[in-house]
Amino acid sequence: TDQALFGPGLQGIMERRDEKWVDKWLQDPGGLLKSGDKTATELKKGFFRTMPTLPEMKDPVKRKAIIEYLKTLKQEG
């Protein structure tokens, strides 16, 4: 959904972000923030928490499956 409740909305995310960036974010969101990534830093603004690093996201096959799903969430309009 595009609604921002606990973090930025995901609808149309693959239209706004590069697949390589999304893969890095899924793998280690905290690390991407600590690296000074401008996009990650901007997305963090306005949200108290950072997405946790999930052990499952170490698996590139699982990350790819999530990215393929995110591709189906087309931006409206």
Side-chain angles (χ1 to χ4, degrees):
T1 159
D2 196 32
Q3 206 171 15
L5 299 173
F6 299 105
L10 295 175
Q11 189 170 0
I13 186 71
M14 298 309 297
E15 296 168 34
R16 297 187 308 269
R17 304 284 176 254
D18 178 89
E19 187 170 328
K20 190 174 180 178
W21 185 91
V22 174
D23 185 64
K24 287 180 187 178
W25 177 256
L26 289 171
Q27 187 173 7
D28 186 9
L32 196 57
L33 279 165
K34 287 178 187 173
S35 77
D37 181 88
K38 288 182 180 184
T39 301
T41 302
E42 190 62 32
L43 288 172
K44 173 73 169 88
K45 289 180 181 178
F47 296 102
F48 178 69
R49 295 181 142 166
T50 301
M51 186 172 124
T53 300
L54 302 173
E56 295 85 359
M57 293 300 97
K58 292 180 189 249
D59 182 343
V61 173
K62 290 181 181 179
R63 290 194 313 272
K64 182 68 175 169
I66 289 173
I67 289 169
E68 290 304 314
Y69 169 71
L70 291 173
K71 289 177 180 178
T72 70
L73 303 176
K74 300 289 184 189
Q75 194 164 4
E76 292 181 10

